[in-house]
Amino acid sequence: MTTIATDDIGERQARLEQIVADLLAEAKRRGASAAEATAGTSAGLEARVRLGTVETLEHTRSNGLGITVYMGNRKGSAGTSDLDPAAVRDTVAAACTIASHTQEDPCAGLATPQRMATRIPDLDLFHPWDLQVEAAIDLALECEEAARVEDARIVNSEGAAVTSHAGVHVYGNSHGFIGGYPSSRHGLSCAVVGREGASMQRDYWWSSARCAGDLESAAAIGRRAGKRTIARLGARQIPTRKAPVLFDARVAAGLMRHLVHAVTGSSIYRRESFLLDHLGRKIFPDFVRIREEPLLPRGLGSAPFDDDGVATVPKDLVADGVLYSYLLDAYSACRLGMETTGNAGGVHNLRIEMGALGKDELIREMGTGLLVTELMGYGINPVTGDYSRGTAGFWVEGGEIRFPVEEVTIAGNLKQMFQGLLAVGNDCDFPGSTRTGSWLIDRMTIAGG
């Protein structure tokens, strides 16, 4: 067995819950006015092959716990991978010592008890995979082989990998809340290199899911990696110009993540966001709705409560183009004089409402412009929203793809790009907790050779 089994998961969770309870009791005994603690255990397997041979094979098993204590408005944190009782006591002692030396912070403390999760729904997140080493290797080899035989122009490989991880996470605090749940995550991926004349290109594909049965087949992933690589051969530069840009769904998810960063509480109270003071203001066209869905069964970002123990709830981040909510934990909410939104630890399953058009239809709608399939570098100013990224993709004319392009930079401003969103496609076909179709942006600067 390479991962945590279903038949012992309850016992593991009960043990972790007792450890958390012991941490909290020890913190109280040492004089802490409040405390919160986490404990977790996980196990996994990764098999990676390259050019038909096994490159790496790794088993992982890990334990960890952390404690944060509050002495009034003073905070101290400590952690360890040792779950023995003596280590628990030492870890709490270390956190208390740290708290005694820190400055007071009026916002240091727990979320209000009324916001704690009162029930832990079963979100169907735990599907351990009884994946034996030989089977994992065979899957990886099948995936890579499918990519390599896709076309004679596939000349090299960066490898294929199979991963499987499962674990249990428990959180508790001195409000009396202790909750936990098991989860799993499995994946298949492949990347290959193609050559045609002097042109060499690489691309990849992957699949990720809570349940191994929900993964794309190894052969399908390999074929797609091969096709994507071949499509990029013969890439060229283009002259500098301004034109519409169509962000492929996979890279459009990155634009959603830039939005998340801009509306996260720490970015707002530090005044490091281009969307500062934009709550209640229109930041997208009317048709845009972006929603957080933390309770989706088997969702890759699903969680019944956040890292503060606050119950997660579905909510609109953007509706009718208007920014309706920041993403706040208890601390950032206090700093802003607001209420937590249940987003300690991040956002859970962000989805944009998709439109009626597929990618081919969006390409025809664009007419002439750039289809972006890969972004490189990180030329983003989070304060101003200025955006400049290296990119690869395809040049479109007359509503049809004409040739692949490379060594191109696109530039704009995220606020203007959001406002200039013309359409969102219905072509989401990749795994992830951020779900979107392709984005058609009205106009950006495209700098070529």
Side-chain angles (χ1 to χ4, degrees):
M1 184 72 67
T2 59
T3 188
I4 296 173
T6 302
D7 55 5
D8 67 350
I9 197 66
E11 180 180 337
R12 287 173 181 264
Q13 183 169 328
R15 184 187 176 212
L16 292 175
E17 289 176 353
Q18 184 59 56
I19 290 172
V20 167
D22 292 344
L23 282 164
L24 298 172
E26 181 68 11
K28 182 177 180 181
R29 190 184 72 80
R30 289 181 175 272
S33 56
E36 56 187 333
T38 61
T41 184
S42 65
L45 169 70
E46 178 175 353
R48 182 174 295 275
V49 303
R50 181 174 178 271
L51 298 176
T53 61
V54 178
E55 189 171 59
T56 60
L57 186 63
E58 182 178 1
H59 290 273
T60 59
R61 283 192 176 273
S62 63
N63 299 309
L65 60 85
I67 179 76
T68 297
V69 300
Y70 301 94
M71 302 290 191
N73 293 126
R74 298 177 185 271
K75 172 184 174 182
S77 300
T80 181
S81 59
D82 189 344
L83 303 185
D84 289 338
V88 169
R89 292 191 296 270
D90 291 344
T91 302
V92 176
C96 290
T97 299
I98 292 169
S100 68
H101 290 89
T102 58
Q103 291 185 339
E104 290 195 4
D105 183 339
C107 287
L110 305 176
T112 58
Q114 294 81 9
R115 299 297 302 277
M116 297 296 103
T118 56
R119 68 182 188 91
I120 311 299
D122 180 6
L123 300 180
D124 198 24
L125 304 182
F126 183 61
H127 295 271
W129 190 4
D130 184 11
L131 180 65
Q132 303 303 314
V133 170
E134 295 79 7
I137 292 171
D138 288 344
L139 277 173
L141 290 171
E142 179 186 357
C143 187
E144 185 188 47
E145 180 66 12
R148 294 176 66 192
V149 302
E150 175 63 29
D151 193 286
R153 290 168 290 179
I154 301 292
V155 296
N156 207 339
S157 171
E158 293 185 359
V162 177
T163 60
S164 177
H165 293 90
V168 188
H169 167 75
V170 171
Y171 168 88
N173 60 37
S174 51
H175 289 323
F177 172 81
I178 296 181
Y181 55 92
S183 64
S184 59
R185 190 177 185 122
H186 316 293
L188 279 162
S189 63
C190 182
V192 290
V193 178
R195 181 174 61 199
E196 185 175 57
S199 175
M200 292 189 70
Q201 299 288 340
R202 54 88 62 189
D203 214 319
Y204 66 96
W205 196 249
W206 83 107
S207 181
S208 182
R210 296 288 189 182
C211 177
D214 294 335
L215 294 170
E216 286 186 62
S217 72
I221 292 166
R223 287 194 297 268
R224 191 157 185 179
K227 290 180 185 296
R228 289 174 62 87
T229 298
I230 293 304
R232 294 179 59 170
L233 290 173
R236 63 183 88 164
Q237 292 181 306
I238 54 176
T240 297
R241 67 188 76 188
K242 289 189 176 182
V245 172
L246 178 62
F247 287 82
D248 177 80
R250 184 171 57 91
V251 293
L255 299 178
M256 299 258 284
R257 288 189 284 271
H258 296 320
L259 169 66
V260 166
H261 184 269
V263 300
T264 295
S266 58
S267 297
I268 300 298
Y269 77 71
R270 290 171 179 159
R271 306 188 69 80
E272 295 175 346
S273 170
F274 66 92
L275 293 178
L276 189 67
D277 300 324
H278 277 63
L279 194 64
R281 294 171 57 182
K282 186 176 289 294
I283 61 171
F284 283 99
D286 292 344
F287 67 86
V288 175
R289 184 188 187 194
I290 301 175
R291 186 167 177 81
E292 182 186 22
E293 296 281 2
L295 305 179
L296 287 176
R298 297 195 186 185
L300 288 173
S302 294
F305 54 85
D306 74 354
D307 289 355
D308 289 332
V310 173
T312 56
V313 293
K315 59 180 174 291
D316 285 339
L317 188 63
V318 174
D320 300 322
V322 174
L323 178 62
Y324 270 96
S325 177
Y326 291 144
L327 298 170
L328 308 178
D329 59 12
Y331 182 81
S332 61
C334 175
R335 290 290 301 265
L336 294 167
M338 303 175 74
E339 294 290 328
T340 176
T341 60
N343 289 107
V347 68
H348 308 94
N349 295 323
L350 199 65
R351 298 181 170 223
I352 192 168
E353 193 168 286
M354 300 182 206
L357 303 180
K359 184 158 71 174
D360 290 343
E361 294 168 301
L362 288 174
I363 288 172
R364 289 193 290 272
E365 183 79 11
M366 179 169 63
T368 297
L370 179 66
L371 167 60
V372 173
T373 59
E374 184 173 5
L375 294 167
M376 293 156 277
Y378 192 82
I380 299 155
N381 186 321
V383 177
T384 64
D386 289 340
Y387 182 94
S388 179
R389 304 285 302 274
T391 186
F394 300 88
W395 185 248
V396 174
E397 288 184 359
E400 296 182 357
I401 292 176
R402 298 300 181 180
F403 53 83
V405 299
E406 63 181 353
E407 297 181 15
V408 173
T409 300
I410 56 174
N413 180 275
L414 285 167
K415 189 185 298 186
Q416 295 171 1
M417 291 161 64
F418 291 169
Q419 293 170 345
L421 179 61
L422 299 177
V424 176
N426 62 11
D427 56 324
C428 185
D429 63 349
F430 62 95
S433 59
T434 302
R435 308 289 288 164
T436 178
S438 298
W439 284 28
L440 179 58
I441 306 294
D442 59 356
R443 190 173 179 84
M444 294 185 70
T445 298
I446 304 168

